[in-house]
Amino acid sequence: MKTVKKILKWATLVLIILLTGIAGITASRQHVKYEAPYPGIHASKDTTVIEKGKHLVYSIAHCNACHNKENTESLLETGEDIPLTGGFVFDLPVGKIYSRNITPDKETGIGKYTDGEIARMLRYGVRPDGTAAFDFMPFHNLSDEDLTAIISYLRTQKPVRNEVPANKLNLLGNVVNAFMVKPVGPSEEILPSVKPDSTASYGRYLVNNVANCSGCHTTRDISGGFTGSLLAGGKLEENGITFLPPNLTPHPESRIYGWTQDMFINRFRLGRAIKNSPMPWNNFKHMSDLELKAIYKYLQTVQPMPTNKAG
């Protein structure tokens, strides 16, 4: 009996030491600095470039869907500019993640950052202070031209002072942040520009590099990594509501199986039809016919897969 008690005593002591060590390492890794190059991107004052950036921001890249905590759909419908003041909270199992103020305010927004620092954040997920961000904005493969256009438009907004709270991570979030959140970076060659047309190739670029369709339509783990077949359905939880973004592959289980190109475009033009749907329908409805045709054609080329199991 004494031997058993002694073993338990030492086992408990070892466990305490291990947990203390893990806690210490986790705490020490909350602000790890990473190296990443600064893309040679410089904001333009050319009105054509700025207008292209505005189109990307308010349609296919749907920046306002996260970078404003108010309901912006009525403003979208009237064509008004929506201040990208941040503050939207993602209430996740890892804690509360707040979107940032990306107006040119020099104290609370991006006015204090260089074009290169903003471009590095979008392309590599590395903040100006060198820490890695949760991969909520996977614009890593944007062409130089499109990245320039977006930053050029952001620079033209009216500066709005809005101090956004720091992210509030729980214990799990601190562990994820310490060991799983790292810079991502491009997964393919970055092109100087991508020619807009109605081909499947351009549709692939829009779906994977601008609209981030896979971010919702593919199952993911707690760190944001993909766990299911590309575009074969996902799972989202927002404000206590569970959403199951549908399968978009050409498989018979797909939501769009058998749809014609016209049916596809008309659905987008309709806008939001399901209350509380997390999809930014009223951004996407402002995409051009050319963009929607390209996306439709690309989705027909994706490998047909049965719907991912939403665990």
Side-chain angles (χ1 to χ4, degrees):
M1 183 62 72
K2 289 183 179 181
T3 301
V4 173
K5 288 182 177 180
K6 189 173 183 179
I7 292 174
L8 289 175
K9 178 182 177 180
W10 280 105
T12 301
L13 180 61
V14 170
L15 180 60
I16 291 172
I17 292 172
L18 285 174
L19 291 176
T20 302
I22 292 172
I25 295 172
T26 298
S28 69
R29 290 185 56 82
Q30 290 308 299
H31 303 286
V32 175
K33 308 288 186 180
Y34 294 93
E35 294 292 332
Y38 293 94
I41 299 295
H42 304 284
S44 171
K45 294 184 179 180
D46 186 299
T47 55
T48 301
V49 175
I50 292 170
E51 280 302 310
K52 179 177 184 179
K54 182 177 181 179
H55 171 71
L56 290 169
V57 164
Y58 291 121
S59 64
I60 191 164
H62 57 281
C63 304
N64 67 282
C66 295
H67 287 280
N68 190 302
K69 64 180 180 180
E70 308 298 333
N71 185 338
T72 61
E73 294 191 357
S74 59
L75 296 178
L76 275 175
E77 290 305 294
T78 59
E80 296 182 53
D81 290 347
I82 299 168
L84 303 175
T85 52
F88 183 87
V89 58
F90 295 88
D91 197 351
L92 304 171
V94 296
K96 297 182 185 295
I97 310 293
Y98 293 87
S99 66
R100 300 294 106 188
N101 180 347
I102 56 173
T103 74
D105 182 66
K106 292 185 178 181
E107 294 185 22
T108 65
I110 60 172
K112 56 189 172 183
Y113 303 133
T114 67
D115 295 337
E117 287 173 328
I118 298 170
R120 185 175 73 158
M121 173 64 190
L122 291 171
R123 184 160 286 172
Y124 294 97
V126 176
R127 301 185 182 98
D129 68 358
T131 59
F134 281 81
D135 193 28
F136 279 48
M137 299 186 300
F139 297 130
H140 317 299
N141 296 324
L142 275 182
S143 71
D144 286 339
E145 183 179 279
D146 285 349
L147 186 54
T148 298
I150 288 174
I151 293 175
S152 298
Y153 172 70
L154 294 180
R155 292 294 197 201
T156 68
Q157 297 176 91
K158 178 182 177 180
V160 179
R161 180 177 176 78
N162 183 41
E163 189 73 48
V164 175
N167 294 337
K168 296 179 174 61
L169 301 180
N170 54 31
L171 178 60
L172 175 61
N174 285 328
V175 172
V176 170
N177 188 52
F179 301 104
M180 301 177 73
V181 177
K182 298 179 180 179
V184 181
S187 60
E188 57 190 59
E189 179 186 0
I190 298 299
L191 301 175
S193 63
V194 179
K195 180 184 177 182
D197 56 29
S198 61
T199 64
S201 176
Y202 186 56
R204 175 189 175 279
Y205 172 75
L206 294 177
V207 165
N208 295 324
N209 302 335
V210 188
N212 186 30
C213 302
S214 58
C216 293
H217 290 275
T218 307
T219 49
R220 310 178 78 166
D221 61 27
I222 196 167
S223 70
F226 294 111
T227 59
S229 302
L230 181 68
L231 298 172
K235 180 180 179 181
L236 295 174
E237 294 185 9
E238 291 189 1
N239 300 318
I241 303 174
T242 299
F243 296 94
L244 300 175
N247 187 338
L248 299 180
T249 75
H251 191 275
E253 293 180 7
S254 168
R255 173 69 58 82
I256 61 173
Y257 181 74
W259 282 25
T260 65
Q261 179 176 274
D262 285 344
M263 291 170 65
F264 185 79
I265 294 175
N266 289 338
R267 174 62 192 90
F268 276 85
R269 294 286 175 250
L270 176 64
R272 190 178 306 282
I274 301 175
K275 184 180 180 181
N276 297 323
S277 169
M279 182 159 167
W281 282 109
N282 289 331
N283 290 93
F284 290 162
K285 71 184 291 185
H286 293 293
M287 285 191 283
S288 67
D289 281 354
L290 181 145
E291 290 168 330
L292 288 170
K293 288 176 182 178
I295 290 172
Y296 173 81
K297 289 178 181 178
Y298 167 64
L299 292 178
Q300 305 310 303
T301 71
V302 175
Q303 183 177 0
M305 296 297 293
T307 301
N308 290 323
K309 302 298 182 183

